[in-house]
Amino acid sequence: MYEVETRFFFDSKEEVFHLIPILKSCLNVKVEWETINFGPKLFERDIILRVSKAIVNGNEIITLAIKRLILVMSSMYVKNITK
């Protein structure tokens, strides 16, 4: 599994939906998100270790990710619990 994280900046929602119409269907999806990053010493070495919890449509998804910002990006799926 590979994760690619890219960020774009737009002036308005209308501009986003015009350029990337598929995102319009995501507008009404409610996602609760909580992320915890660990280790200031790791961060100083361009490494991020984080645990994230997202609740999407009643499903809780917990992930553990380690990212080496310079060379390698990876994430590992931990568990998926359906409520």
Side-chain angles (χ1 to χ4, degrees):
M1 175 187 301
Y2 294 91
E3 173 184 305
V4 175
E5 186 172 296
T6 305
R7 295 182 185 197
F8 297 93
F9 298 95
F10 298 94
D11 292 326
S12 68
K13 287 191 294 188
E14 291 76 20
E15 182 182 11
V16 173
F17 298 142
H18 175 72
L19 294 172
I20 312 171
I22 194 170
L23 293 179
K24 196 166 193 172
S25 66
C26 300
L27 184 61
N28 295 321
V29 175
K30 181 180 178 182
V31 176
E32 297 177 33
W33 190 273
E34 180 181 337
T35 298
I36 301 169
N37 290 301
F38 294 93
K41 293 289 183 190
L42 290 174
F43 186 77
E44 290 170 4
R45 294 177 47 210
D46 289 331
I47 298 171
I48 294 175
L49 176 62
R50 82 171 172 231
V51 175
S52 298
K53 179 174 83 171
I55 300 174
V56 182
N57 295 327
N59 295 322
E60 182 178 80
I61 301 168
I62 299 174
T63 59
L64 170 65
I66 184 166
K67 292 185 178 185
R68 297 194 64 193
L69 300 179
I70 296 173
L71 299 174
V72 178
M73 289 191 206
S74 64
S75 73
M76 180 177 59
Y77 179 74
V78 178
K79 66 178 179 175
N80 182 1
I81 300 171
T82 305
K83 291 185 175 185

